[in-house]
Amino acid sequence: MREWLPQRETILAALIELEGPQSINHRCEACGLVVGTWRCRDCFGFPEYCTACCRTQHMERPFHRVEFWSGDHYRPAWLWSAGVYLKLGHHLHALCNMGTGNEA
């Protein structure tokens, strides 16, 4: 505790800084075209993404934890809110014969 007390202001300031946008212009780190309203807690550096880029970046990482910028703070959110989904079942564009009596 004695080691922490002299550094508490610096540590608390760093923690509070993480609650807001990382960049001044608050742009999407993937496309740079629009405001980044999503932040990923699991991607390195907590990148900020627009909805489209968040969806694109996480279609193969559906279990990452994301947050949504509410205007004054980030709140926990779900990737499905950005349009991320899991494709279960067969390969892309393959027809399903399960349950039709045509199983091989």
Side-chain angles (χ1 to χ4, degrees):
M1 187 63 127
R2 272 182 262 151
E3 294 173 14
W4 180 79
L5 282 175
Q7 299 177 33
R8 71 179 170 189
E9 294 301 319
T10 304
I11 293 169
L12 291 174
L15 289 173
I16 290 171
E17 188 176 314
L18 288 175
E19 293 302 314
Q22 298 291 321
S23 61
I24 295 171
N25 62 7
H26 198 32
R27 294 281 181 198
C28 174
E29 293 185 31
C31 70
L33 301 175
V34 293
V35 172
T37 54
W38 294 87
R39 175 171 77 176
C40 183
R41 301 287 295 176
D42 292 321
C43 288
F44 182 73
F46 298 152
E48 298 167 349
Y49 298 116
C50 64
T51 302
C53 290
C54 183
R55 181 176 43 253
T56 301
Q57 295 289 325
H58 288 90
M59 285 301 285
E60 294 185 14
R61 298 173 193 88
F63 302 113
H64 277 198
R65 297 168 299 145
V66 294
E67 298 173 321
F68 186 79
W69 179 248
S70 68
D72 61 359
H73 69 282
Y74 281 100
R75 62 175 175 77
W78 297 98
L79 278 168
W80 63 262
S81 299
V84 175
Y85 59 90
L86 292 174
K87 184 164 179 77
L88 304 175
H90 305 289
H91 297 288
L92 188 62
H93 305 299
L95 296 176
C96 179
N97 293 326
M98 299 296 289
T100 62
N102 296 333
E103 295 89 353

XYZ file of all heavy atoms in Angstrom:
844
model
N 0.818 -1.181 0.000
C 0.000 0.000 0.000
C 0.867 1.252 0.000
O 0.520 2.233 -0.669
C -0.931 -0.041 1.212
C -1.931 1.061 1.224
S -3.048 0.976 -0.167
C -4.598 1.014 0.629
N 1.965 1.198 0.709
C 2.867 2.357 0.738
C 3.436 2.666 -0.638
O 3.677 3.809 -0.972
C 4.011 2.107 1.730
C 3.669 2.537 3.141
C 4.835 2.322 4.055
N 4.544 1.039 4.703
C 5.434 0.190 5.148
N 6.695 0.434 5.046
N 5.068 -0.924 5.725
N 3.650 1.629 -1.436
C 4.174 1.834 -2.785
C 3.097 2.416 -3.709
O 3.398 3.167 -4.627
C 4.682 0.515 -3.351
C 5.879 -0.027 -2.604
C 6.246 -1.420 -3.083
O 5.751 -1.845 -4.147
O 7.013 -2.075 -2.385
N 1.861 2.065 -3.471
C 0.767 2.499 -4.329
C 0.345 3.937 -4.061
O 0.045 4.690 -4.996
C -0.435 1.566 -4.139
C -1.595 1.942 -4.995
C -1.747 1.660 -6.323
C -2.748 2.689 -4.610
N -2.928 2.169 -6.791
C -3.568 2.820 -5.744
C -3.174 3.262 -3.414
C -4.780 3.482 -5.729
C -4.391 3.933 -3.399
C -5.176 4.037 -4.545
N 0.289 4.328 -2.813
C -0.218 5.659 -2.456
C 0.438 6.814 -3.198
O -0.276 7.686 -3.718
C -0.128 5.877 -0.939
C -1.229 5.196 -0.131
C -0.977 5.368 1.359
C -2.585 5.728 -0.512
N 1.756 6.867 -3.336
C 2.348 7.983 -4.076
C 1.977 7.992 -5.568
O 2.039 9.026 -6.220
C 3.855 7.781 -3.910
C 4.013 6.870 -2.752
C 2.775 6.047 -2.689
N 1.576 6.842 -6.101
C 1.263 6.742 -7.529
C -0.233 6.716 -7.806
O -0.644 6.604 -8.956
C 1.898 5.472 -8.088
C 3.402 5.452 -7.960
C 3.965 4.145 -8.463
O 3.447 3.552 -9.387
N 5.048 3.701 -7.845
N -1.060 6.838 -6.800
C -2.493 6.649 -6.984
C -3.109 7.640 -7.971
O -3.963 7.270 -8.772
C -3.222 6.684 -5.655
C -3.283 8.036 -5.022
C -4.027 8.004 -3.730
N -3.829 9.298 -3.080
C -4.180 9.576 -1.881
N -4.765 8.634 -1.153
N -3.978 10.767 -1.368
N -2.692 8.891 -7.948
C -3.264 9.885 -8.871
C -2.958 9.523 -10.323
O -3.817 9.629 -11.201
C -2.752 11.287 -8.543
C -3.204 11.813 -7.193
C -4.722 11.868 -7.069
O -5.387 12.254 -8.049
O -5.231 11.506 -5.990
N -1.743 9.085 -10.580
C -1.347 8.685 -11.936
C -2.136 7.462 -12.381
O -2.633 7.413 -13.516
C 0.167 8.385 -11.984
O 0.870 9.530 -11.516
C 0.609 8.031 -13.389
N -2.264 6.499 -11.502
C -2.991 5.267 -11.831
C -4.465 5.564 -12.053
O -5.060 5.096 -13.033
C -2.785 4.214 -10.725
C -1.322 3.763 -10.706
C -3.717 3.030 -10.926
C -0.937 2.928 -9.505
N -5.083 6.338 -11.190
C -6.499 6.667 -11.338
C -6.754 7.483 -12.600
O -7.752 7.274 -13.291
C -6.999 7.410 -10.105
C -7.082 6.570 -8.831
C -7.457 7.442 -7.642
C -8.057 5.429 -8.994
N -5.860 8.402 -12.925
C -6.008 9.192 -14.155
C -5.947 8.285 -15.385
O -6.713 8.467 -16.340
C -4.932 10.265 -14.230
N -5.058 7.297 -15.378
C -4.945 6.362 -16.501
C -6.213 5.519 -16.630
O -6.693 5.273 -17.742
C -3.722 5.472 -16.328
N -6.771 5.084 -15.518
C -8.005 4.292 -15.553
C -9.179 5.115 -16.081
O -9.979 4.633 -16.885
C -8.326 3.746 -14.164
C -7.400 2.647 -13.653
C -7.710 2.319 -12.204
C -7.528 1.410 -14.520
N -9.285 6.350 -15.655
C -10.370 7.221 -16.120
C -10.216 7.530 -17.603
O -11.191 7.583 -18.354
C -10.431 8.506 -15.274
C -10.918 8.148 -13.869
C -11.318 9.557 -15.920
C -10.826 9.276 -12.874
N -8.986 7.692 -18.050
C -8.725 7.974 -19.472
C -9.217 6.840 -20.358
O -9.662 7.060 -21.481
C -7.235 8.201 -19.683
C -6.890 8.689 -21.065
C -5.419 8.997 -21.206
O -4.871 9.663 -20.312
O -4.828 8.565 -22.205
N -9.173 5.606 -19.866
C -9.630 4.458 -20.643
C -11.147 4.422 -20.815
O -11.657 3.676 -21.626
C -9.172 3.143 -19.983
C -7.689 2.835 -20.092
C -7.359 1.584 -19.296
C -7.288 2.661 -21.545
N -11.867 5.221 -20.054
C -13.320 5.240 -20.149
C -13.829 6.031 -21.350
O -14.994 5.940 -21.706
C -13.931 5.799 -18.863
C -13.728 4.914 -17.661
C -14.309 3.518 -17.843
O -15.453 3.399 -18.309
O -13.601 2.547 -17.529
N -12.978 6.825 -21.972
C -13.391 7.645 -23.102
C -12.716 7.209 -24.383
O -11.924 6.276 -24.409
N -13.026 7.897 -25.482
C -12.399 7.575 -26.776
C -10.888 7.737 -26.714
O -10.365 8.620 -26.039
C -13.003 8.608 -27.729
C -14.222 9.109 -27.043
C -13.977 8.985 -25.574
N -10.182 6.864 -27.439
C -8.729 6.868 -27.447
C -8.166 7.988 -28.318
O -7.136 8.549 -28.028
C -8.188 5.528 -27.949
C -8.583 4.360 -27.077
C -7.911 4.386 -25.725
O -6.750 4.728 -25.623
N -8.649 4.055 -24.687
N -8.865 8.300 -29.407
C -8.342 9.295 -30.339
C -9.121 10.604 -30.217
O -10.283 10.616 -29.825
C -8.432 8.772 -31.770
O -9.771 8.509 -32.109
N -8.476 11.684 -30.596
C -9.103 13.000 -30.520
C -10.237 13.106 -31.537
O -11.318 13.579 -31.229
C -8.059 14.110 -30.748
C -7.045 14.090 -29.616
C -8.723 15.462 -30.873
C -5.847 14.984 -29.842
N -9.994 12.630 -32.762
C -11.026 12.746 -33.795
C -12.070 11.649 -33.696
O -13.076 11.703 -34.369
C -10.408 12.792 -35.193
C -9.652 11.525 -35.529
O -9.664 10.548 -34.802
N -8.974 11.549 -36.661
N -11.833 10.639 -32.879
C -12.815 9.595 -32.580
C -13.288 8.887 -33.848
O -14.455 8.580 -34.011
C -13.974 10.239 -31.820
C -14.857 9.288 -31.081
N -14.442 8.113 -30.522
C -16.177 9.365 -30.787
C -15.449 7.512 -29.925
N -16.519 8.259 -30.069
N -12.367 8.656 -34.801
C -12.695 8.005 -36.067
C -12.466 6.505 -35.984
O -11.662 6.030 -35.185
C -11.831 8.563 -37.209
C -12.095 9.994 -37.517
C -13.338 10.108 -38.329
N -13.621 11.497 -38.663
C -14.788 11.900 -39.056
N -15.778 11.064 -39.173
N -14.995 13.161 -39.335
N -13.164 5.774 -36.836
C -13.004 4.329 -36.938
C -11.562 4.013 -37.310
O -11.009 4.604 -38.236
C -13.959 3.780 -37.996
S -13.726 2.017 -38.346
N -10.949 3.081 -36.598
C -9.555 2.749 -36.851
C -9.365 1.872 -38.074
O -8.256 1.739 -38.573
C -8.945 2.090 -35.614
C -8.855 3.072 -34.464
C -8.145 2.507 -33.257
O -7.247 1.665 -33.417
O -8.504 2.926 -32.142
N -10.441 1.279 -38.594
C -10.322 0.438 -39.785
C -10.518 1.251 -41.066
O -9.697 1.191 -41.971
C -11.326 -0.706 -39.723
N -11.601 2.024 -41.148
C -11.878 2.768 -42.381
C -11.507 4.245 -42.272
O -11.212 4.872 -43.275
C -13.343 2.621 -42.778
S -14.509 3.479 -41.680
N -11.530 4.800 -41.071
C -11.193 6.205 -40.867
C -12.205 7.189 -41.435
O -11.976 8.388 -41.433
N -13.339 6.678 -41.911
C -14.313 7.538 -42.573
C -15.379 8.088 -41.640
O -15.851 9.202 -41.821
C -14.990 6.770 -43.714
C -14.055 6.244 -44.797
C -14.820 5.400 -45.801
C -13.352 7.399 -45.491
N -15.784 7.301 -40.679
C -16.877 7.714 -39.791
C -16.443 7.576 -38.332
O -15.392 7.025 -38.020
C -18.160 6.890 -40.049
C -18.731 7.181 -41.416
C -17.896 5.413 -39.900
N -17.291 8.045 -37.458
C -17.005 7.998 -36.021
C -17.011 6.550 -35.539
O -17.879 5.761 -35.909
C -18.054 8.823 -35.248
C -17.898 8.648 -33.754
C -17.960 10.288 -35.630
N -16.023 6.218 -34.738
C -15.952 4.891 -34.135
C -16.769 4.842 -32.861
O -16.410 5.480 -31.877
N -17.879 4.117 -32.882
C -18.753 4.035 -31.718
C -18.622 2.714 -30.970
O -19.211 2.541 -29.917
C -20.226 4.237 -32.122
O -20.546 3.315 -33.159
C -20.461 5.661 -32.597
N -17.876 1.772 -31.529
C -17.663 0.471 -30.908
C -16.209 0.351 -30.485
O -15.317 0.791 -31.195
C -17.987 -0.655 -31.888
C -19.431 -0.700 -32.252
C -20.039 -0.014 -33.252
C -20.443 -1.448 -31.607
N -21.376 -0.296 -33.272
C -21.645 -1.186 -32.266
C -20.441 -2.338 -30.531
C -22.846 -1.769 -31.895
C -21.636 -2.924 -30.163
C -22.824 -2.642 -30.833
N -15.975 -0.293 -29.367
C -14.615 -0.543 -28.894
C -14.537 -1.999 -28.467
O -15.402 -2.498 -27.751
C -14.294 0.377 -27.721
C -12.938 0.099 -27.093
C -12.558 1.142 -26.097
N -13.264 0.964 -24.827
C -13.045 1.710 -23.759
N -12.174 2.699 -23.795
N -13.710 1.486 -22.649
N -13.481 -2.680 -28.900
C -13.289 -4.083 -28.544
C -12.326 -4.188 -27.370
O -11.210 -3.688 -27.428
C -12.772 -4.883 -29.729
S -12.611 -6.648 -29.321
N -12.764 -4.874 -26.330
C -11.942 -5.065 -25.140
C -10.912 -6.180 -25.337
O -9.952 -6.269 -24.585
C -12.810 -5.396 -23.931
C -13.847 -4.355 -23.580
C -13.271 -3.147 -22.971
N -12.667 -3.456 -21.686
C -12.011 -2.586 -20.945
N -11.885 -1.355 -21.345
N -11.482 -2.941 -19.808
N -11.123 -7.034 -26.331
C -10.233 -8.172 -26.531
C -9.226 -7.976 -27.655
O -8.217 -8.665 -27.696
C -11.046 -9.445 -26.780
C -11.818 -9.870 -25.539
O -11.267 -9.750 -24.431
O -12.975 -10.300 -25.671
N -9.483 -7.080 -28.576
C -8.502 -6.784 -29.627
C -7.382 -5.931 -29.026
O -7.632 -5.093 -28.158
C -9.158 -6.022 -30.780
S -10.269 -7.008 -31.791
N -6.173 -6.138 -29.502
C -5.015 -5.423 -28.967
C -5.182 -3.919 -29.141
O -5.449 -3.434 -30.226
C -3.743 -5.901 -29.663
C -2.494 -5.256 -29.130
C -1.994 -5.603 -27.893
C -1.852 -4.276 -29.858
C -0.864 -5.007 -27.389
C -0.715 -3.663 -29.367
C -0.213 -4.029 -28.130
N -5.031 -3.179 -28.065
C -5.103 -1.719 -28.102
C -6.492 -1.137 -27.972
O -6.672 0.059 -28.116
N -7.509 -1.957 -27.732
C -8.900 -1.498 -27.627
C -9.302 -0.636 -28.823
O -9.722 0.510 -28.676
C -9.147 -0.710 -26.347
C -8.927 -1.464 -25.068
C -8.561 -0.799 -23.923
C -9.083 -2.833 -25.002
C -8.361 -1.469 -22.732
C -8.891 -3.516 -23.814
C -8.531 -2.832 -22.674
N -9.193 -1.149 -30.053
C -9.504 -0.319 -31.222
C -10.965 0.123 -31.239
O -11.847 -0.577 -30.743
C -9.204 -1.244 -32.401
C -9.338 -2.617 -31.843
C -8.905 -2.531 -30.416
N -11.200 1.293 -31.828
C -12.542 1.842 -31.981
C -12.970 1.662 -33.428
O -12.221 1.979 -34.346
C -12.550 3.318 -31.603
C -12.179 3.538 -30.157
C -11.884 4.991 -29.843
O -11.764 5.810 -30.772
O -11.764 5.305 -28.653
N -14.183 1.146 -33.631
C -14.692 0.855 -34.969
C -16.069 1.471 -35.173
O -16.842 1.620 -34.227
C -14.850 -0.658 -35.178
C -13.580 -1.466 -35.092
C -13.414 -2.417 -34.100
C -12.569 -1.294 -36.023
C -12.260 -3.186 -34.030
C -11.408 -2.052 -35.958
C -11.263 -2.997 -34.963
O -10.118 -3.746 -34.894
N -16.392 1.747 -36.437
C -17.772 2.067 -36.783
C -18.533 0.734 -36.786
O -17.928 -0.331 -36.691
C -17.857 2.756 -38.152
S -17.331 1.733 -39.547
N -19.845 0.783 -36.914
C -20.637 -0.453 -36.859
C -20.242 -1.426 -37.961
O -20.060 -2.611 -37.707
C -22.142 -0.125 -36.938
O -22.481 0.746 -35.854
C -22.985 -1.379 -36.844
N -20.097 -0.943 -39.195
C -19.766 -1.820 -40.324
C -18.407 -2.487 -40.125
O -18.251 -3.685 -40.356
C -19.795 -1.035 -41.633
N -17.416 -1.735 -39.692
C -16.075 -2.299 -39.497
C -16.027 -3.216 -38.282
O -15.314 -4.221 -38.286
C -15.037 -1.192 -39.388
S -14.774 -0.326 -40.963
N -16.787 -2.903 -37.253
C -16.858 -3.788 -36.086
C -17.407 -5.142 -36.511
O -16.875 -6.190 -36.135
C -17.742 -3.173 -34.996
S -17.828 -4.155 -33.493
N -18.462 -5.120 -37.323
C -19.053 -6.363 -37.831
C -18.034 -7.130 -38.680
O -17.823 -8.315 -38.488
C -20.314 -6.033 -38.643
C -21.015 -7.241 -39.196
C -22.320 -6.908 -39.916
N -22.240 -5.742 -40.795
C -22.793 -4.563 -40.532
N -23.467 -4.369 -39.422
N -22.679 -3.564 -41.389
N -17.375 -6.452 -39.603
C -16.401 -7.089 -40.486
C -15.234 -7.674 -39.695
O -14.818 -8.807 -39.938
C -15.861 -6.077 -41.518
O -16.950 -5.569 -42.270
C -14.850 -6.710 -42.441
N -14.720 -6.915 -38.744
C -13.557 -7.347 -37.966
C -13.883 -8.520 -37.043
O -12.985 -9.267 -36.659
C -13.025 -6.184 -37.118
C -12.486 -5.028 -37.908
C -11.172 -5.367 -38.596
O -10.359 -6.106 -38.077
N -10.980 -4.812 -39.772
N -15.161 -8.695 -36.689
C -15.496 -9.686 -35.674
C -16.347 -10.856 -36.166
O -16.757 -11.691 -35.364
C -16.167 -8.999 -34.484
C -15.195 -8.198 -33.696
N -14.947 -6.871 -33.977
C -14.370 -8.547 -32.685
C -14.022 -6.434 -33.149
N -13.644 -7.426 -32.359
N -16.590 -10.968 -37.455
C -17.344 -12.124 -37.952
C -16.607 -13.428 -37.648
O -17.240 -14.461 -37.467
C -17.614 -12.002 -39.452
C -18.704 -11.008 -39.792
S -20.312 -11.350 -39.059
C -20.862 -12.705 -40.065
N -15.289 -13.379 -37.575
C -14.519 -14.578 -37.234
C -14.003 -14.536 -35.806
O -13.223 -15.386 -35.395
C -13.371 -14.759 -38.228
C -13.875 -15.046 -39.630
C -12.764 -15.357 -40.602
O -11.627 -15.614 -40.150
O -13.040 -15.352 -41.810
N -14.431 -13.561 -35.048
C -14.075 -13.430 -33.626
C -15.338 -13.112 -32.827
O -15.416 -12.098 -32.136
C -13.053 -12.306 -33.437
C -11.741 -12.529 -34.142
C -10.876 -11.272 -34.012
N -9.756 -11.313 -34.919
C -9.775 -10.867 -36.174
N -10.863 -10.329 -36.670
N -8.717 -10.952 -36.938
N -16.346 -13.979 -32.903
C -17.654 -13.643 -32.335
C -17.721 -13.646 -30.808
O -18.748 -13.257 -30.248
C -18.571 -14.717 -32.915
C -17.667 -15.877 -33.130
C -16.347 -15.272 -33.564
N -16.659 -14.055 -30.154
C -16.694 -14.115 -28.698
C -15.931 -12.975 -28.029
O -15.756 -12.977 -26.817
C -16.183 -15.474 -28.214
C -16.978 -16.611 -28.788
C -16.407 -17.490 -29.688
C -18.317 -16.770 -28.449
C -17.145 -18.525 -30.233
C -19.067 -17.803 -28.995
C -18.480 -18.683 -29.891
N -15.485 -12.005 -28.825
C -14.820 -10.840 -28.238
C -15.841 -10.002 -27.480
O -17.025 -9.987 -27.798
C -14.153 -9.993 -29.325
C -12.817 -10.503 -29.725
N -11.906 -9.727 -30.393
C -12.212 -11.701 -29.540
C -10.807 -10.427 -30.613
N -10.976 -11.631 -30.107
N -15.362 -9.301 -26.475
C -16.215 -8.419 -25.670
C -16.112 -6.996 -26.214
O -15.017 -6.472 -26.353
C -15.780 -8.452 -24.208
C -15.932 -9.830 -23.589
C -15.243 -9.916 -22.252
N -13.808 -9.661 -22.435
C -13.049 -9.026 -21.558
N -13.538 -8.586 -20.434
N -11.762 -8.843 -21.791
N -17.247 -6.406 -26.522
C -17.259 -5.061 -27.081
C -18.037 -4.111 -26.175
O -18.809 -4.531 -25.314
C -17.856 -5.024 -28.504
C -16.982 -5.780 -29.483
C -19.278 -5.557 -28.517
N -17.791 -2.817 -26.438
C -18.505 -1.763 -25.736
C -18.987 -0.746 -26.765
O -18.367 -0.582 -27.818
C -17.584 -1.074 -24.735
C -17.079 -1.996 -23.649
C -16.036 -1.346 -22.768
O -15.187 -0.591 -23.294
O -16.061 -1.602 -21.563
N -20.077 -0.077 -26.453
C -20.661 0.921 -27.351
C -20.584 2.296 -26.693
O -20.897 2.446 -25.511
C -22.111 0.561 -27.661
C -22.732 1.448 -28.690
C -22.475 1.258 -30.027
C -23.581 2.477 -28.314
C -23.038 2.081 -30.994
C -24.150 3.309 -29.262
C -23.876 3.105 -30.603
N -20.157 3.300 -27.457
C -20.036 4.664 -26.953
C -21.429 5.280 -26.839
O -22.168 5.401 -27.820
C -19.159 5.487 -27.891
C -18.998 6.905 -27.466
C -19.492 8.011 -28.092
C -18.276 7.389 -26.332
N -19.126 9.139 -27.415
C -18.377 8.787 -26.323
C -17.553 6.767 -25.309
C -17.796 9.584 -25.348
C -16.966 7.555 -24.334
C -17.087 8.944 -24.358
N -21.816 5.684 -25.636
C -23.155 6.223 -25.390
C -23.211 7.737 -25.495
O -24.268 8.330 -25.339
C -23.643 5.800 -24.007
O -22.870 6.435 -23.004
N -22.093 8.377 -25.735
C -22.042 9.829 -25.806
C -21.189 10.428 -24.708
O -20.583 11.468 -24.888
N -21.135 9.729 -23.563
C -20.259 10.205 -22.483
C -19.483 9.079 -21.805
O -18.632 9.332 -20.977
C -21.046 11.020 -21.453
C -22.140 10.222 -20.765
O -22.321 9.038 -21.092
O -22.813 10.794 -19.891
N -19.782 7.842 -22.162
C -19.012 6.709 -21.644
C -19.292 5.473 -22.512
O -20.242 5.461 -23.296
C -19.371 6.429 -20.181
C -20.751 5.884 -19.999
N -21.874 6.677 -20.039
C -21.184 4.617 -19.794
C -22.952 5.936 -19.853
N -22.559 4.677 -19.708
N -18.423 4.475 -22.372
C -18.640 3.201 -23.050
C -19.485 2.313 -22.151
O -19.258 2.231 -20.953
C -17.314 2.496 -23.345
C -16.606 3.041 -24.546
C -15.558 3.937 -24.407
C -16.992 2.681 -25.825
C -14.908 4.444 -25.518
C -16.346 3.185 -26.939
C -15.308 4.062 -26.773
O -14.682 4.556 -27.868
N -20.460 1.642 -22.746
C -21.267 0.690 -21.994
C -21.095 -0.692 -22.629
O -20.907 -0.802 -23.845
C -22.732 1.097 -21.973
C -23.383 1.148 -23.327
C -24.878 1.435 -23.229
N -25.461 1.604 -24.531
C -25.759 0.612 -25.372
N -25.512 -0.627 -25.033
N -26.288 0.865 -26.558
N -21.134 -1.753 -21.828
C -21.000 -3.101 -22.387
C -22.095 -3.355 -23.425
O -23.241 -2.914 -23.266
C -21.178 -4.013 -21.169
C -20.837 -3.155 -19.999
C -21.269 -1.763 -20.373
N -21.730 -4.041 -24.489
C -22.681 -4.347 -25.558
C -22.393 -5.752 -26.092
O -21.423 -6.389 -25.699
C -22.564 -3.316 -26.673
N -23.250 -6.191 -26.991
C -23.111 -7.511 -27.610
C -22.796 -7.344 -29.087
O -23.315 -6.429 -29.741
C -24.397 -8.308 -27.448
C -24.723 -8.587 -26.029
C -25.595 -7.889 -25.234
C -24.171 -9.607 -25.217
N -25.614 -8.430 -23.980
C -24.752 -9.496 -23.941
C -23.234 -10.620 -25.432
C -24.444 -10.339 -22.893
C -22.927 -11.472 -24.386
C -23.523 -11.331 -23.143
N -21.978 -8.229 -29.625
C -21.623 -8.147 -31.040
C -22.827 -8.333 -31.957
O -22.856 -7.800 -33.059
C -20.529 -9.173 -31.374
C -19.122 -8.726 -31.021
C -18.142 -9.894 -31.100
C -18.674 -7.605 -31.935
N -23.842 -9.051 -31.521
C -25.023 -9.204 -32.378
C -25.677 -7.850 -32.644
O -26.319 -7.666 -33.672
C -26.013 -10.221 -31.818
C -26.618 -9.887 -30.492
C -26.225 -10.350 -29.275
C -27.727 -9.029 -30.235
N -27.010 -9.831 -28.280
C -27.953 -9.014 -28.848
C -28.555 -8.257 -31.040
C -28.959 -8.264 -28.251
C -29.568 -7.512 -30.446
C -29.759 -7.530 -29.063
N -25.491 -6.882 -31.739
C -26.039 -5.542 -31.956
C -25.370 -4.841 -33.131
O -25.944 -3.929 -33.729
C -25.863 -4.681 -30.707
O -26.551 -5.235 -29.624
N -24.152 -5.259 -33.458
C -23.427 -4.702 -34.605
C -23.640 -5.559 -35.856
O -23.085 -5.267 -36.905
C -21.941 -4.606 -34.293
N -24.433 -6.631 -35.733
C -24.729 -7.481 -36.882
C -23.857 -8.710 -36.998
O -23.901 -9.405 -38.011
N -23.076 -9.019 -35.981
C -22.240 -10.225 -36.006
C -23.127 -11.426 -35.687
O -23.969 -11.373 -34.801
C -21.088 -10.129 -34.982
C -20.302 -11.422 -34.913
C -20.176 -8.969 -35.346
N -22.955 -12.497 -36.435
C -23.740 -13.707 -36.213
C -22.862 -14.928 -36.427
O -21.808 -14.853 -37.060
C -24.954 -13.754 -37.135
C -24.584 -13.719 -38.604
C -24.356 -14.887 -39.316
C -24.430 -12.512 -39.273
C -23.987 -14.859 -40.648
C -24.072 -12.463 -40.602
C -23.853 -13.642 -41.286
O -23.490 -13.603 -42.604
N -23.307 -16.058 -35.909
C -22.613 -17.325 -36.102
C -23.345 -18.108 -37.179
O -24.567 -18.245 -37.126
C -22.616 -18.152 -34.817
C -21.802 -17.624 -33.661
C -22.034 -18.492 -32.429
C -20.340 -17.594 -34.002
N -22.618 -18.596 -38.150
C -23.222 -19.427 -39.186
C -22.974 -20.875 -38.778
O -21.848 -21.362 -38.844
C -22.615 -19.134 -40.547
C -23.288 -19.904 -41.653
C -22.942 -19.316 -42.991
C -23.581 -20.060 -44.110
N -24.978 -19.771 -44.290
N -24.012 -21.528 -38.341
C -23.909 -22.906 -37.900
C -24.380 -23.838 -39.003
O -25.261 -23.504 -39.779
C -24.760 -23.119 -36.646
C -24.433 -22.190 -35.482
C -25.426 -22.413 -34.359
C -23.022 -22.412 -35.000
N -23.810 -25.011 -39.048
C -24.273 -25.995 -40.014
C -23.261 -26.264 -41.097
O -22.065 -26.365 -40.849
N -23.755 -26.348 -42.310
C -22.964 -26.790 -43.449
C -22.105 -25.676 -44.023
O -22.203 -24.527 -43.635
C -23.895 -27.350 -44.526
C -24.780 -28.443 -44.017
N -24.304 -29.680 -43.688
C -26.098 -28.456 -43.735
C -25.298 -30.423 -43.250
N -26.398 -29.710 -43.261
N -21.316 -26.064 -45.008
C -20.478 -25.088 -45.702
C -21.354 -24.052 -46.392
O -22.527 -24.292 -46.679
C -19.579 -25.788 -46.728
C -18.628 -26.742 -46.107
N -17.535 -26.322 -45.377
C -18.602 -28.090 -46.071
C -16.886 -27.373 -44.941
N -17.514 -28.459 -45.349
N -20.779 -22.944 -46.703
C -21.486 -21.851 -47.349
C -22.197 -22.336 -48.608
O -21.612 -23.022 -49.443
C -20.482 -20.742 -47.701
C -21.043 -19.441 -48.208
C -21.926 -18.797 -47.145
C -19.927 -18.498 -48.576
N -23.456 -22.018 -48.731
C -24.298 -22.317 -49.891
C -24.602 -23.805 -50.075
O -25.136 -24.198 -51.100
C -23.707 -21.761 -51.196
C -23.428 -20.303 -51.144
N -24.399 -19.362 -50.929
C -22.273 -19.620 -51.249
C -23.864 -18.156 -50.920
N -22.564 -18.285 -51.093
N -24.266 -24.651 -49.108
C -24.582 -26.072 -49.230
C -26.013 -26.315 -48.764
O -26.476 -25.693 -47.810
C -23.607 -26.908 -48.410
N -26.720 -27.183 -49.461
C -28.081 -27.511 -49.083
C -28.080 -28.508 -47.942
O -27.213 -29.379 -47.857
C -28.839 -28.074 -50.274
C -29.049 -27.133 -51.453
C -29.723 -27.866 -52.594
C -29.896 -25.944 -51.024
N -29.067 -28.425 -47.103
C -29.180 -29.350 -45.980
C -30.147 -30.462 -46.351
O -31.284 -30.207 -46.729
C -29.679 -28.599 -44.742
S -29.868 -29.671 -43.317
N -29.694 -31.691 -46.242
C -30.544 -32.852 -46.511
C -30.968 -33.517 -45.211
O -31.598 -34.557 -45.241
C -29.796 -33.870 -47.373
C -29.534 -33.330 -48.763
O -30.345 -32.588 -49.293
N -28.407 -33.687 -49.337
N -30.616 -32.955 -44.087
C -30.947 -33.554 -42.805
C -32.448 -33.544 -42.583
O -33.111 -32.539 -42.775
C -30.250 -32.794 -41.664
C -28.732 -32.802 -41.753
S -28.017 -34.421 -41.598
C -28.303 -34.720 -39.879
N -32.990 -34.678 -42.203
C -34.398 -34.762 -41.857
C -35.329 -34.867 -43.056
O -36.536 -34.861 -42.895
N -34.809 -35.004 -44.270
C -35.663 -35.082 -45.448
C -35.774 -36.502 -45.974
O -36.481 -36.751 -46.938
C -35.111 -34.187 -46.592
O -33.831 -34.666 -46.962
C -35.052 -32.737 -46.164
N -35.065 -37.414 -45.360
C -35.078 -38.787 -45.838
C -34.059 -39.019 -46.945
O -33.963 -40.115 -47.472
N -33.293 -37.990 -47.310
C -32.306 -38.109 -48.379
C -30.895 -38.232 -47.844
O -29.951 -38.027 -48.570
C -32.366 -36.872 -49.294
C -33.707 -36.783 -49.999
O -34.366 -37.779 -50.216
N -34.107 -35.556 -50.316
N -30.759 -38.553 -46.545
C -29.429 -38.643 -45.974
C -28.654 -39.794 -46.605
O -29.209 -40.847 -46.877
C -29.495 -38.868 -44.450
C -30.095 -37.711 -43.709
C -31.623 -37.828 -43.580
O -32.215 -38.727 -44.175
O -32.189 -36.981 -42.901
N -27.417 -39.567 -46.867
C -26.583 -40.608 -47.470
C -25.874 -41.410 -46.414
O -25.568 -40.983 -45.373
C -25.572 -39.975 -48.416
